[in-house]
Each structure stands twice: as C-alpha cells, then as structure tokens.
Amino acid sequence: MSEGEEVRLKLLRRSVLSKEHKIRSEDGHLLLPILEEVDMGYPVVERDMERVVPPPRSLSDVLDLPEGLEDQIPSSYEIVGDIAVIKVPDKLVPYRVELGEALLSLHSNVNVVLEDSGVEGELRVRDVVYLAGEKRTRTVHKEHGSEFVVDLSKAYFSPRLATERWRVVQQVSPGERVLDMFAGVGPYSILIAKHTDVKKVHAVDLNPEAVSLLKENVQRNKVEEIVYTMEADARNVDIKADRIIMNLPHSARDFFQNALSCLKSHGGYIHHYDMVEEEDVEYMIEHLKDLAKACGYQTEILDLREVRTYSATKIHVAVDLKLTPVPSSL
Ligand SMILES: C[S@@+](CC[C@H](N)C(=O)[O-])C[C@H]1O[C@@H](n2cnc3c(N)ncnc32)[C@H](O)[C@@H]1O
C-alpha cells in the first residue's frame, strides 16, 4: 500500500478526512483534506480544496424544468435490461424528450428510453413510444440468474413481478408437472425449470410474438428438455398438471374452470392472479371456491397477498389455492 493511501485510511478511521473535498497533489506531495488539525507526523497546510460534486440520484437532480412543474416528475419507472420505460404525466408531454435524456444521463446502464402509454388488450402488449437513446425495443433482462430476451413492443414483460415469480418458484416440489397458462416470454416457466426438480413445464401463450421470444429464451437458458412451448389459447389446452400458473390478472377468473379441468385426478395447486377492488377480495375468493366446488373440488386458500396497488381502488392480488377432489360419499 502506498504511503498516501495508508495515511488516507488512518484519517478515515479517525473520522477527520473530509468527504466533501477532493484529494489532489501539489509539487509531488499529496494534499488530503481534513476536518480538524490532527498530528499524523506530516505538515498541516491551509489550501482551498475543490468540492466533490455528488452524483445525481434522482430525475429531479438532472431535469431542468420551468418553475411549478417539479412536482410532476415521476418518482418511479421500470428498467428492463438496458431500456428505461416511463409514464409521462400530461403536463410533462412538452418535455418528454428532456425527460428521456435525463434518464439516460442518470443511469449509465440505460441505452434506450421509451414512453409507456399503457398495456392494452388481451395480449397485454405495451404501447411504447421512443423518447431517447438507441432506437430499439428489444433487450436482454436478467432475473435470478436467468436471461430473458424481451421486446417491449411485441410481448408483455414486467420486472416488477420478479419477487412474485420467485415466491411461486420456491413452492414447486420435485417431480411436478407445471402448466404456465399465460407464459409470455417465459419468466415463470424458465425460472421453475432452472431452480427446481420439476418434471415438465408446459408454457402456453396466445401471442405468436411472445411464443417466438419464449422459444428463444428456452434455448438461451438451456431448458429445452424441461420446458415445452405451445402457441395456443389457454381455453383449448388439454394438459394434466400438478400446478397451474394463471398470470393474466385482468381476466384469469374467466379461465379458472379451464384450469380446473387441467388438474390431475388427485388435484393440485393453482396460482391465480386478479385485479380486484379491495372490498371485493372476499367475493372473488368465494367465487373461485364455488367454481371449484361445481367441478368437484374442495379448496384450501394457502396464501392471499397483494402483489401491488394497481389503481386508486384496485389491487393486484395473488391467491394460492390447493384443490382436492371431494370424496364421492360427501
Ligand atoms: C400478464 S402477461 C404475463 C406473462 C408472463 N407470465 C410474465 O410473467 O411475464 C399475460 C400473457 O397472457 C397471454 N394471453 C392472453 N390471453 C391468452 C389466452 N387466451 N391464452 C393464452 N395466453 C394468453 C398474453 O399474450 C400475455 O403474454
């Protein structure tokens, strides 16, 4: 270790090194900025030292807007691979390019900025508009050691579900056959294949663009032996599984009976997602139980949790259900 570094560390340990000023050299000597006089066996001299400029931490640190608009700056946005996706509030529409440039300067790992104009339709594809950086919508996103090729203009993907996906992965038991009814580009299916001793995962999606990316991701993550992909409407799928993932929150309820018909004869588990008014959660659970009962199953609710707040009144919930066939004598 150099002499200068040794002294710097000693000053740091004694809490007398100023972190607000830069270290510099002068005539072959190192000048270390200190907060108070201290005897380290070296001369103490008085000099003007340059201040350290703290790196910008938020959009408001880098965005120069007319007065009165600062409170419109979004406090959150998503980063998918090297693409930042941001919702632009109405009042900031005239400054959307500046917003894009600000995001590029804030994150050195971001090369593209897109405006998120909402996720629409049954296929849940995001309407994105180019704001800044490279002109593309395709990227590679890393999650729990896997890599997902994503094209934000062609198929759904959200990094916000990473914790929820991992929660489900951890529930899978060895030897299970899993049906991922709304697989998208494959994050649930691939994470399950890579991190559990699952027998097979059937990954289904109706969007041909999603299935094309799903196939690419299955190969990229080397899980071809485990994940079977299928471009199909989940209504028409006839696969028997121990565990079913229904990640289509806006309309999963409409598919619940299809999911029940895909359970093995001894029953199994369903991870159901829903967008529901907070006061309707109980009703939603009762509705699912009634549907299960009509198909000959008794239901145990293993977990019920809020994934995130969706709007002022609606929440995005995850329900884990265990379905067991009702014995015929009951
Ligand atoms: C909310 S996305 C979830 C994607 C994925 N599970 C994830 O975590 O990223 C829902 C997916 O369901 C697909 N989808 C919509 N309707 C479908 C249907 N009837 N049958 C199969 N897939 C469908 C959409 O194309 C979309 O990729």
Side-chain angles (χ1 to χ4, degrees), residues 114-125:
L114 302 175
E115 177 180 352
D116 180 354
S117 301
V119 175
E120 292 296 335
E122 188 182 10
L123 300 186
R124 313 306 299 149
V125 179

Side-chain angles (χ1 to χ4, degrees), residues 172-219:
V172 177
S173 299
E176 281 188 4
R177 189 176 286 269
V178 174
L179 169 60
D180 187 0
M181 275 179 110
F182 310 105
V185 304
Y188 277 96
S189 295
I190 289 167
L191 289 172
I192 288 172
K194 279 186 83 168
H195 296 278
T196 75
D197 280 331
V198 74
K199 189 170 181 190
K200 281 276 172 284
V201 183
H202 299 268
V204 178
D205 205 284
L206 185 58
N207 177 359
E209 305 274 15
V211 176
S212 165
L213 291 159
L214 166 67
K215 286 183 175 160
E216 194 175 339
N217 289 328
V218 165
Q219 283 196 351

